[in-house]
Amino acid sequence: MSKISITKFGTLYDGAEAHLYKIQNENGFFCVSDFGCTITSLQLKNNDDSFTDVVLGLPTLDAYARTWGSFGAIIGRFANRIVGASFTLNDVTYNLTENLPGACLHGGFPTWGATLWETKKLIKGKNSGICFCHTFKDGEQGFSGNLYVEVEYILTRDNQLSMVYRAQTDKATPVSITNHSYFNLAGSGSVLDYNLLLNCDEYLELNKEGFVTGEIKPVKDTEFDFTQEKKINYYQTIKPDSIGYDICYKTPCYDSGCGIPLQGKKPVHIATVTDPVSNRKMKVYTNQEGVQLYTAKYMDHVAGKNGFYYRPFEAICLETQSFPDSPNQKNFAPTVLQPGQIYESVTIYAFEQASREI
């Protein structure tokens, strides 16, 4: 049975206490806070019985509260960009926070990552984890409906980090929830030499502002093609202007009838990342229609944990989600959760142990 321990993480500006939960089994452990459902570390065992922390993080609670980038945090009510920071639903226009020029990013303010969540321990068979819950009120962040959300994290004995998000609403509302963990399979250094396989043969076209156009394009013969395993920096050698990635792909789970994962929708394998030095692999499974590939190109000199200063391309994010700007895009599948429905997003990050010392 996994072990769960709890320590005080720090005190917030309003005097509320945040906590850090450590979930440990014989192969590793992860730490997560009730402040933003934030995964602060994920330690995996190497062949020599040492451990490597494969997620980037920050040194203190105050750093998580103040630093841009959503390190390890939960993202909602709607992940990625909503262009114009507004949308219309049932003839009502909803105005959101324009926290990015021309758009609302990751739900706007107040962020879910800066929310203190209720917590309960979770036991499923021989595996243990944590379940966080919170009700976001009608009008919060500008969205419609009271939304009850549960976030469930479990680390299995075979090195699978399972993330399950459930939500219910009393009024129609767009929903797209993700986790924003930054992965580095070696614990530090550039990820540009990592090998990447994406089981995604289409991507969402972007305009010059970085917003989706509404067009879904084939990856074939583009710098976005990872249907055959390639180094992440492969296309930079032939297209120097293609520096880094921050783009959404269509996964095999796409359903033109509905762009949100409702209860019972099963996850499929969408990606494999391999560090060629350690040979540690991370496989990603999800039931979400989209996955945002982000190679941390905007992360520059961030003061991280253990004295590290994070630089661009020192992490890879694979953020499973609904398509960006879906509330405004007629060509995309609808992402509106209705009363009586249960939103249930499942994402699994499965790790294979490094074959030699890192």
Side-chain angles (χ1 to χ4, degrees):
M1 179 70 68
S2 302
K3 297 179 181 178
I4 301 176
S5 59
I6 178 174
T7 57
K8 181 180 175 181
F9 194 27
T11 303
L12 298 170
Y13 70 94
D14 60 357
E17 288 190 358
H19 301 88
L20 200 62
Y21 298 84
K22 181 179 179 180
I23 297 90
Q24 183 172 13
N25 61 35
E26 60 268 35
N27 292 321
F29 64 89
F30 76 102
C31 295
V32 59
S33 176
D34 49 9
F35 181 72
C37 310
T38 302
I39 295 175
T40 62
S41 66
L42 173 58
Q43 300 270 358
L44 299 178
K45 184 182 287 188
N46 302 311
N47 277 347
D48 63 355
D49 290 335
S50 65
F51 289 87
T52 296
D53 190 349
V54 298
V55 297
L56 274 54
L58 305 175
T60 63
L61 174 65
D62 185 66
Y64 279 103
R66 294 176 181 272
T67 303
W68 175 89
S70 302
F71 283 81
I74 200 71
I75 298 292
R77 181 174 300 198
F78 203 89
N80 218 308
R81 295 151 177 82
I82 294 181
V83 180
S86 68
F87 64 93
T88 300
L89 178 62
N90 296 332
D91 298 323
V92 177
T93 297
Y94 295 89
N95 295 308
L96 313 175
T97 308
E98 187 177 338
N99 57 341
L100 188 74
C104 174
L105 177 65
H106 292 330
F109 296 118
T111 67
W112 284 18
T115 298
L116 197 62
W117 296 61
E118 295 182 23
T119 309
K120 59 183 178 181
K121 296 180 181 179
L122 191 65
I123 297 176
K124 289 194 173 182
K126 296 183 178 180
N127 300 309
S128 300
I130 293 291
C131 181
F132 301 102
C133 59
H134 190 81
T135 297
F136 296 92
K137 295 181 179 180
D138 184 18
E140 195 166 346
Q141 296 177 307
F143 289 91
S144 53
N146 296 294
L147 188 75
Y148 173 74
V149 181
E150 292 183 347
V151 175
E152 177 185 294
Y153 297 139
I154 291 177
L155 180 65
T156 70
R157 295 194 299 169
D158 54 355
N159 287 338
Q160 293 189 8
L161 178 60
S162 170
M163 303 179 178
V164 180
Y165 321 126
R166 298 184 184 91
Q168 294 177 274
T169 184
D170 61 1
K171 187 188 297 184
T173 184
V175 177
S176 176
I177 304 172
T178 193
N179 174 276
H180 207 296
S181 286
Y182 293 73
F183 293 98
N184 186 300
L185 301 183
S188 62
S190 174
V191 302
L192 291 179
D193 284 333
Y194 285 13
N195 294 317
L196 174 63
L197 171 70
L198 285 175
N199 295 323
C200 305
D201 55 13
E202 293 180 285
Y203 73 100
L204 275 58
E205 182 184 59
L206 300 179
N207 60 22
K208 63 181 181 179
E209 286 81 24
F211 303 151
V212 294
T213 66
E215 296 296 321
I216 303 174
K217 299 285 191 177
V219 299
K220 185 176 175 59
D221 298 325
T222 74
E223 64 267 37
F224 308 115
D225 188 357
F226 289 96
T227 54
Q228 300 294 320
E229 186 180 66
K230 295 182 179 69
K231 288 188 181 298
I232 291 175
N233 69 346
Y234 172 77
Y235 281 104
Q236 291 177 228
T237 64
I238 57 176
K239 288 191 68 175
D241 59 330
S242 299
I243 299 176
Y245 291 91
D246 191 9
I247 194 161
C248 189
Y249 288 81
K250 186 185 85 172
T251 77
C253 293
Y254 178 77
D255 179 356
S256 60
C258 184
I260 57 174
L262 297 178
Q263 193 171 44
K265 189 176 182 181
K266 302 299 182 183
V268 301
H269 176 224
I270 63 161
T272 299
V273 184
T274 306
D275 169 24
V277 176
S278 68
N279 204 34
R280 174 171 277 126
K281 296 180 184 291
M282 180 178 75
K283 295 182 177 179
V284 185
Y285 302 81
T286 191
N287 64 356
Q288 288 268 29
E289 67 167 0
V291 58
Q292 186 82 7
L293 169 63
Y294 177 49
T295 52
K297 62 182 180 179
Y298 302 119
M299 182 177 66
D300 194 6
H301 234 72
V302 175
K305 59 190 175 186
N306 302 320
F308 284 106
Y309 279 84
Y310 302 136
R311 302 300 303 272
F313 316 122
E314 290 188 349
I316 181 172
C317 302
L318 289 164
E319 305 159 50
T320 58
Q321 58 190 246
S322 297
F323 286 174
D325 200 36
S326 291
N328 293 316
Q329 297 292 340
K330 295 181 180 179
N331 290 343
F332 293 169
T335 54
V336 174
L337 184 68
Q338 301 288 348
Q341 294 179 325
I342 299 177
Y343 175 102
E344 187 176 73
S345 169
V346 180
T347 296
I348 299 167
Y349 296 95
F351 298 90
E352 294 183 7
Q353 184 170 309
S355 62
R356 53 183 179 275
E357 184 176 350
I358 296 176

